[in-house]
Amino acid sequence: MMDACAIVTYRCPFRCRMCAIWQHPSMREEEFSPSVLEKLPRLNAVNITGGEPFVREDLDDIVRILSGKARRVVFSTNGWYTDRIVAMARRYPGAGFRISLEGLQEKNDALRGMPGGFERGMETLRALQALGCKDIGLAITLSGSNQEDLMPLYRLSRQMGVQFATAAVHNSFYFHKDDNVIADRAGVAAALAALAGQMLAEPSFKSWARAYFNDGLKGYVLGRPRPLPCRAGTSNFFVDPFGEVLPCNGMAEALSMGNLARVEHFDALWNSSRAREVRQAVASCRRNCWMMGTASPAIKSHPLQVAGWIAGAQCRRMSGRCGSVLKHPPDCRAERCGAMSDSGREKKEGGR
């Protein structure tokens, strides 16, 4: 079964620096009707995101349908709408919730453009804990100005006994950004190496797998190719607020396989000639994105390669040479989103 991401809205009350979705909100009357999701196939997992998903007044209808389609439903949220989130958790106690924070209070509120955002996010997380929710956690997007808060935020997650997810800034149609650049790539890579090293030292295979993901994220920051091939549009897909089915959210332009509202069955869209064209575009994509939505299916599809990396990393760690496997020179030979902006790339190409 495939994984999916439902981008239910482009509306958001926050003003994040690394994401300009809030400057391009969808109109609520243009957003898909929950009923179109009935056409989706059985899914392994679905992530409900935005924008901020909890601004949708009919979100409960969306979740009711998706919870009947997927083994796991998880929300990506800024945590601002505490009451709505807690009410949803009461109705769907098995759902997952990831609260996005860009560091501790000062750094988070500055990067997210919302005073009080950190405290509200933590309030929501504590309320979910009090409710007895198990699948909850924090998520951070590294941008080159918040890496100092990575380990303190991770330690906070460990103290609270919640999950921890990472990402790095990307440029794409989804974020409406082409100027995200990580200036201190070496500093961000070092922070991710420290996080991966800590995860490898924990007695949990899940932590080791996350160490592998964070090592790949470090490679992305340094401009290296993906450690695993991208299967966007094959192992996973995205549904945008207008019902368009996309392979991923990391490309320069939105490539739709078709619109759910305009087909009778999902298979007709998924197996169409247009879908084949989109997959060919994915196969030739050289953006080398490493985001959980597309990295997770790839990791699940290559268990032996991941296990081999973990075994090698653990051997080096136990022999006292952990740094040699987790740290790399801060080069950036690959030119791609996040490591270099599109405008910077154009200037470099023009000077050749």
Side-chain angles (χ1 to χ4, degrees):
M1 288 190 290
M2 295 180 290
D3 291 346
C5 180
I7 308 169
V8 298
T9 184
Y10 285 141
R11 291 177 280 153
C12 184
F14 279 42
R15 302 291 182 265
C16 297
R17 293 185 187 178
M18 61 287 182
C19 170
I21 286 177
W22 57 274
Q23 293 179 311
H24 304 269
S26 50
M27 304 297 291
R28 70 180 66 188
E29 61 271 17
E30 297 175 340
E31 294 169 353
F32 64 71
S33 169
S35 61
V36 304
L37 299 176
E38 295 280 10
K39 300 175 184 179
L40 293 178
R42 293 290 301 171
L43 300 166
N44 176 55
V46 61
N47 176 251
I48 299 176
T49 186
E52 169 49 47
F54 282 90
V55 304
R56 277 204 67 155
E57 298 79 0
D58 56 356
L59 186 60
D60 189 63
D61 294 330
I62 291 172
V63 179
R64 176 180 51 79
I65 295 170
L66 291 178
S67 63
K69 297 280 185 180
R71 292 176 177 174
R72 179 172 180 257
V73 174
V74 61
F75 296 88
S76 294
T77 172
N78 56 39
W80 187 254
Y81 298 102
T82 305
D83 292 344
R84 300 179 195 178
I85 295 170
V86 170
M88 185 68 73
R90 285 198 178 99
R91 288 191 291 273
Y92 300 94
F97 297 85
R98 295 295 179 270
I99 310 298
S100 297
L101 298 174
E102 308 316 326
L104 302 180
Q105 182 171 357
E106 181 179 0
K107 184 63 68 174
N108 175 80
D109 292 0
L111 287 175
R112 306 215 102 209
M114 179 63 83
F118 179 84
E119 283 302 322
R120 183 69 68 84
M122 291 302 297
E123 176 187 343
T124 299
L125 192 61
R126 288 190 290 266
L128 291 170
Q129 276 193 312
L131 197 60
C133 296
K134 303 299 182 185
D135 189 2
I136 55 176
L138 300 173
I140 183 173
T141 298
L142 294 165
S143 58
S145 61
N146 60 344
Q147 63 268 24
E148 294 86 358
D149 281 11
L150 176 62
M151 290 306 295
L153 196 65
Y154 180 66
R155 287 192 288 269
L156 177 60
S157 74
R158 296 293 85 193
Q159 291 168 7
M160 297 183 70
V162 300
Q163 305 298 319
F164 190 75
T166 52
V169 292
H170 285 69
N171 293 312
S172 76
F173 75 90
Y174 172 71
F175 299 106
H176 293 276
K177 296 288 285 186
D178 61 8
D179 60 353
N180 275 327
V181 178
I182 298 178
D184 185 12
R185 290 181 284 109
V188 174
L192 285 166
L195 177 62
Q198 178 61 46
M199 289 176 164
L200 284 169
E202 296 172 1
S204 164
F205 185 82
K206 191 172 184 178
S207 292
W208 304 344
R210 286 174 175 163
Y212 177 85
F213 171 81
N214 282 293
D215 187 68
L217 190 61
K218 180 196 63 183
Y220 162 78
V221 169
L222 292 176
R224 295 192 169 89
R226 288 172 59 106
L228 296 174
C230 181
R231 290 177 55 82
T234 300
S235 296
N236 67 282
F237 62 89
F238 289 65
V239 181
D240 79 2
F242 316 112
E244 301 292 337
V245 176
L246 316 171
C248 74
N249 62 344
M251 302 184 83
E253 60 178 320
L255 296 181
S256 176
M257 298 178 169
N259 192 291
L260 274 179
R262 301 190 190 116
V263 296
E264 187 173 352
H265 301 290
F266 182 80
D267 285 350
L269 180 156
W270 193 247
N271 298 318
S272 66
S273 59
R274 174 56 183 167
R276 289 192 291 273
E277 291 173 2
V278 170
R279 291 187 188 102
Q280 290 174 356
V282 170
S284 62
C285 179
R286 296 294 177 264
R287 294 173 73 82
N288 288 315
C289 303
W290 191 249
M291 292 185 278
M292 186 56 73
T294 50
S296 178
I299 290 172
K300 293 174 184 175
S301 298
H302 294 79
L304 294 180
Q305 185 169 333
V306 175
W309 181 92
I310 291 171
Q314 290 291 17
C315 286
R316 285 182 282 271
R317 182 182 70 83
M318 289 186 285
S319 66
R321 295 185 291 115
C322 184
S324 65
V325 69
L326 293 176
K327 291 185 179 180
H328 300 288
D331 64 336
C332 188
R333 296 185 181 91
E335 299 168 10
R336 53 190 173 77
C337 52
M340 179 182 292
S341 71
D342 290 342
S343 58
R345 187 180 303 109
E346 290 167 2
K347 290 177 181 178
K348 184 172 181 178
E349 289 175 350
R352 287 175 182 167

